[in-house]
Amino acid sequence: MTMLEQRIQQQFFEGADLKYQSAEPLGRIVAAASQSLLHAITAGGKVLVCGSGFGAPLAQHFAAVLMGRFERERPPLAALALAADGALGAAVQALGAPGDVLVVLDAGGPHEAVLAASDAAAAGELTRIVLTDASGARWRGRLTDTDVLIPVPHDRPARLMELQLLALHSLCDALDLQLLGEQDT
């Protein structure tokens, strides 16, 4: 086996190990986040999603999966990815309503816009679900008891992105389960 092949295998092993180690500590937190999403959706609310750094394309993916489908057919859910620019706070003010949810994917890059979106969500009485790095330092003291902080236990960007995507897919699966019931096999 070449050194390159070993390095590539190590990437797979590291990613798999992180997912395995994160299952228990993040399981309860992601379940709480799914309850917040379910409550908003079943009450006629919507899900606004935004992100910084590579969180921006993850936000678009998550909103698209909610509006379309995850792994099975269901009616579209009210979701919208907000553009990753300085107007995020204004977008939340304009589009958000009490009872809606703002999902923030804090994944590097400029944080001012997502922090402004979060502040606007708090002022507008939206629940906030924040996926961030291991420390979650930027978010401590900014969130309330009704908000959900999902700190991914890694700071390396590639692993952070992988686990945030897995958490988003877990949220989609949990919503589908709660809205549609168990899938017949």
Side-chain angles (χ1 to χ4, degrees), residues 46-64 66-67 78-97 100-106 110 112-122 126-129:
K46 62 190 158 304
V47 180
L48 303 176
V49 193
C50 67
S52 64
F54 62 72
L58 287 179
Q60 291 178 330
H61 170 71
F62 185 55
L66 291 177
M67 287 186 293
L80 178 65
L82 305 175
D85 60 23
L88 285 178
V92 172
Q93 286 178 331
L95 300 171
D100 290 348
V101 173
L102 174 68
V103 178
V104 176
L105 294 143
D106 182 12
E112 296 79 21
V114 293
L115 292 172
S118 173
D119 291 345
L126 282 73
T127 298
R128 297 168 291 174
I129 298 171

Side-chain angles (χ1 to χ4, degrees), residues 36 170 180:
S36 295
S170 296
L180 304 172

Side-chain angles (χ1 to χ4, degrees), residues 34-45:
S34 77
Q35 291 298 309
S36 295
L37 290 170
L38 180 69
H39 182 265
I41 290 166
T42 57

